[in-house]
Each structure stands twice: as C-alpha cells, then as structure tokens.
Amino acid sequence: MKKIFLFAFGLCALTMHAQVADSTKNVYANSVEKMLNNKPGLGIGGYGEVHYNQPVYKSTKDIGTLDVHRLVMFLGYNFSNKTQFVSEIEFEYAKEFWVEQMFLQHKINHYINFRAGLLLIPMGIINEYHEPTTFNGVERPIIDNKIAPSTWREIGFGLSGNIWQIKTKYQLYVVNGFNGYDANGGLFSGSKALREGRQKGSKAYISSPNFTGKLEYYGVKNLNIGVSGYLGKSQSRLYNNLHKDSTNLIQRADSSIVNISMIGADIRYNLKGIKMTGQLYYTSLGNTEQYNIFTSKDGKYNDLGSSMIGYYAEIGYNIFQPLQNIKSELMPFVRYEVFDTHHTVVDIITKNTKYYNTIITTGLTYTLIKGAVLKADIQFNKSKADEKYSKVLNFGFGIMF
C-alpha cells in the first residue's frame, strides 16, 4: 500500500510548478458525456474489442481463447440543450445482451444536472472510462474486477456537474445496493468478493438505499485527481413481507446483509508522451461474522473478508512523441497491481493466501489513429500461495467512435 501512496506523492511533486491556466486539458469525458454535449437531436456512437488470451506454461501446452469480448452501441437523444437521454447497449462474449447505462438528464443550471435511471457507480477510473482506446492493456486492470466490480451500475438518481471556478467535477447519487442474499443463499465470498451481487438494473429490488459519489479535481496542468466513495448495505429478499413485530425474523434478515464502505482514489498525469496512472480501492465490510455463519454451506462457514484492498501504478511513454506530423502512437507500458480480498478477516475464518495476488502487466498499445488501437501484453500473476508467476499472453484490438 505504501508504494501507491509514494507513487501519488511523486506525481504531485512533479507538478507543483505547473500552470493552472491549461488545466482544462485534463477534463476527461467518456462517450456518454460527449453525447450529452452534442446539439439537439439523435446521437450515435459505440466501441468494441476482440481478445486472444494464451496461457504460457513451461511443462504443459494449453489452448488459447478467442473472444468478441464486447460490442457496444450508444444511442441518445437530446430533446434540447437542457433535457437529454442516453443509453449504452452491450453485447458480451458474442452472446450476452446487457443495458449498461440508460438515464435521463436535465440541466437545472450551469453547475447542476439531475440524473435518473441506470447509472454507472462513479468509483475509480475504469468503471466510467472503460472504452478500450482509453486504457493500456488488452484486459482491464484486475482490481476493477475483483474489488470494484466493473462494469458496476445500478438504478438511482442524483446530481452531477462541473464547477469551473474551482476546477472540480462532482457526482452524487442514491442507488439500490448489491443483492447479498436471495433464494440461492449468500452471493458474497472471499473468492468472488461482491461481484455476484450486482443487480445491473435487471428486475432489481431495494431493501435499503445506498449512496455513492465522486470528486475530480483538474486544477493543475497535466494532472487529474479523483476521490470516490460508496456507502450502504447489501440488499436481502428476507425483508420482503416481513412484519415489523417479528423480532426473530428481523434478526434473521439482519444476519443476511453486509455493511459496505468503499473509498477510492485515482490519479492521472500526462506530459510530453509520458502517461502515469495510479489507483487505490479500500473496502470495509461490516456484519461479516454473522453473514458468514448465516450463509454457511455443508457445515462450513462462508469466507467473506471484513476488508479488501486493491491498487496499481502504471507508466507508459509514447515513443512517437518526439516525431512531428505523426498522428499514431506507440506506447510501451508496465503496470504493477495488487489486490487482496482477505485484507482482514473475522476470527471464525482463516486468511486465505490465494486471495492476495500480485499482477505485473507489460506490453504495447499501438494507436493507429484516434479511435482504433492494437494491443499486446504479457501478464504475470502470482498469489501468496504460489511459488511462481503464471503467465498469459494477450493480444487484441479495440475501436471507439
């Protein structure tokens, strides 16, 4: 954890001399936000990516996998300069269909927008900026799968905006929470963390509201800093048709929920071809002892941890930067990443060292032209329970328009 803080401190120190005047260059916008800024009328966009993943072992030969990982279409309609609708429709693995975003936005004034619908939870970078041309590596960072379960979206409403005077963007939403317990039992565990609990706007239910928000500061040249948070309880179907005087049933339902407090911090720095990115997630989980006992199977306690952590630091350099009149980019990069879903545990379970993983990813991102990239990398992954790193070669391409 110290490494990520040293990384963030180093970036800040490098930019203390910078001018504030050019800080607007660091106002990041994803595809949906760009559509919201278009003129009245219909808006269309999209992105897609194809992956090839090949495990590499010295002693055995293994098959690789080929996957049309995502094909996404953005459809929106700006009724006026104030009232807009946007949607993100995704096909995954060439067969699954999902709606990833769908919300109505109304501008109250220059600084405040009201949003309602299926919203992206504003945690970290990737969950909002996940188009394949916006990040290095064929696969998204692992912590945005294991700790923050991207693509993470739920139904809710709230406010967003940009306060130009203090160079700060903000988001604040009320949403439904994770499904932590249903007819299949408990959905959280040490191996899967919270990921299986995403409701994704598909017949979602709510037993208590959750809150999420983010601040992005871009007031220093070449630098963008984000702080995000998520607070609430998991949802449980045991609260349905529950009489308020049923003390035993209420206690039973209370044992099926988990208190969730997640904080995130991210930093992006760009200067003359150098691109540095850092990110940290820390999640505190409450009521896990009761939850692990209540969701036991075959006489064995569930193993959800009481806190989780994940972080990475990445650096890349566009080697075409010194060359004039070249619109393409070739960026070698390296990313060091750590996550642990058993950062702390309650007394009734033992820390599982398989849940502490270190991942090193290094490779090339070749931007043919804005909106089209070729990617290649190799990932080294090792848990504390392993003696050696496992290796996977990844190749792919991505487009965005």
Side-chain angles (χ1 to χ4, degrees):
M1 187 171 177
K2 292 180 180 178
K3 294 179 180 179
I4 192 71
F5 288 124
L6 289 172
F7 174 76
F9 178 79
L11 287 186
C12 292
L14 284 171
T15 56
M16 289 301 290
H17 67 283
Q19 298 294 320
V20 174
D22 295 328
S23 63
T24 54
K25 294 180 180 179
N26 295 316
V27 185
Y28 293 94
N30 59 24
S31 298
V32 163
E33 290 173 319
K34 291 175 182 177
M35 289 179 65
L36 292 171
N37 293 324
N38 288 342
K39 297 178 181 179
L42 181 67
I44 299 175
Y47 70 86
E49 51 189 329
V50 175
H51 297 175
Y52 168 48
N53 310 109
Q54 178 62 62
V56 179
Y57 302 103
K58 286 186 177 180
S59 57
T60 62
K61 181 176 176 60
D62 205 351
I63 61 173
T65 58
L66 297 156
D67 186 27
V68 180
H69 205 81
R70 295 178 180 91
L71 177 62
V72 179
M73 293 299 298
F74 295 104
L75 295 173
Y77 193 84
N78 291 346
F79 298 96
S80 68
N81 291 329
K82 285 191 173 183
T83 305
Q84 300 133 322
F85 167 80
V86 291
S87 65
E88 180 179 351
I89 303 167
E90 178 174 56
F91 291 91
E92 286 190 318
Y93 317 118
K95 63 178 181 178
E96 294 182 7
F97 172 82
W98 291 101
V99 177
E100 290 218 334
Q101 294 185 76
M102 191 182 80
F103 64 85
L104 184 69
Q105 174 171 290
H106 181 74
K107 295 182 179 179
I108 298 174
N109 59 39
H110 188 63
Y111 306 104
I112 304 174
N113 304 310
F114 173 78
R115 289 183 177 180
L118 184 61
L119 305 169
L120 293 180
I121 303 299
M123 288 295 302
I125 299 173
I126 288 292
N127 204 53
E128 293 189 277
Y129 307 94
H130 47 248
E131 297 87 346
T133 59
T134 63
F135 61 90
N136 289 318
V138 176
E139 303 292 344
R140 297 172 180 178
I142 304 299
I143 65 170
D144 290 293
N145 177 289
K146 298 295 185 179
I147 308 299
S150 299
T151 303
W152 183 10
R153 69 275 191 190
E154 301 295 353
I155 294 175
F157 66 92
L159 304 175
S160 68
N162 193 342
I163 305 175
W164 296 95
Q165 289 88 340
I166 58 174
K167 313 295 183 185
T168 301
K169 292 174 63 178
Y170 72 90
Q171 298 179 72
L172 184 63
Y173 305 127
V174 180
V175 297
N176 67 267
F178 289 102
N179 173 22
Y181 188 89
D182 59 16
N184 297 315
L187 279 78
F188 305 146
S189 65
S191 60
K192 296 180 179 179
L194 306 177
R195 189 171 185 83
E196 297 299 313
R198 295 176 301 166
Q199 299 200 63
K200 306 177 185 179
S202 177
K203 296 182 179 180
Y205 72 98
I206 183 169
S207 57
S208 62
N210 283 228
F211 305 90
T212 183
K214 183 172 184 178
L215 293 175
E216 281 185 62
Y217 177 69
Y218 55 90
V220 177
K221 184 180 178 181
N222 304 317
L223 182 68
N224 183 289
I225 299 174
V227 178
S228 48
Y230 180 91
L231 180 66
K233 297 180 179 180
S234 63
Q235 319 292 277
S236 172
R237 292 195 180 275
L238 293 180
Y239 288 107
N240 192 37
N241 295 321
L242 182 61
H243 197 280
K244 294 182 179 179
D245 294 331
S246 303
T247 303
N248 291 336
L249 293 179
I250 290 174
Q251 290 178 345
R252 183 170 181 267
D254 289 344
S255 296
S256 69
I257 62 99
V258 173
N259 303 318
I260 303 170
S261 300
M262 182 183 296
I263 59 172
D266 57 80
I267 184 168
R268 287 173 279 186
Y269 180 67
N270 295 277
L271 179 65
K272 297 180 179 179
I274 299 173
K275 179 181 179 181
M276 289 190 275
T277 307
Q279 189 167 288
L280 166 71
Y281 293 124
Y282 178 80
T283 305
S284 176
L285 302 174
N287 202 48
T288 54
E289 183 169 352
Q290 292 88 336
Y291 182 83
N292 284 329
I293 293 172
F294 186 75
T295 57
S296 299
K297 288 186 178 181
D298 301 322
K300 185 178 180 180
Y301 291 137
N302 192 3
D303 67 346
L304 179 66
S306 54
S307 70
M308 304 184 294
I309 193 169
Y311 57 89
Y312 74 78
E314 177 185 303
I315 184 169
Y317 176 69
N318 174 24
I319 62 177
F320 290 168
Q321 175 69 23
L323 305 177
Q324 296 181 352
N325 301 320
I326 295 182
K327 294 183 179 180
S328 59
E329 296 182 0
L330 182 61
M331 181 171 289
F333 75 94
V334 61
R335 179 168 66 236
Y336 178 82
E337 190 171 6
V338 171
F339 75 87
D340 184 7
T341 59
H342 266 188
H343 183 60
T344 59
V345 298
V346 292
D347 292 338
I348 63 170
I349 62 175
T350 303
K351 274 192 177 186
N352 191 331
T353 54
K354 289 184 178 180
Y355 299 159
Y356 185 105
N357 282 256
T358 300
I359 307 99
I360 300 171
T361 306
T362 183
L364 293 169
T365 301
Y366 182 28
T367 303
L368 302 169
I369 193 170
K370 185 178 180 181
V373 297
L374 301 176
K375 298 182 177 184
D377 65 63
I378 183 169
Q379 284 188 314
F380 303 86
N381 191 330
K382 183 170 77 71
S383 74
K384 277 192 172 181
D386 299 324
E387 295 181 357
K388 297 179 180 180
Y389 282 94
S390 63
K391 295 183 283 292
V392 180
L393 282 170
N394 303 301
F395 301 93
F397 74 83
I399 56 96
M400 180 178 73
F401 59 90

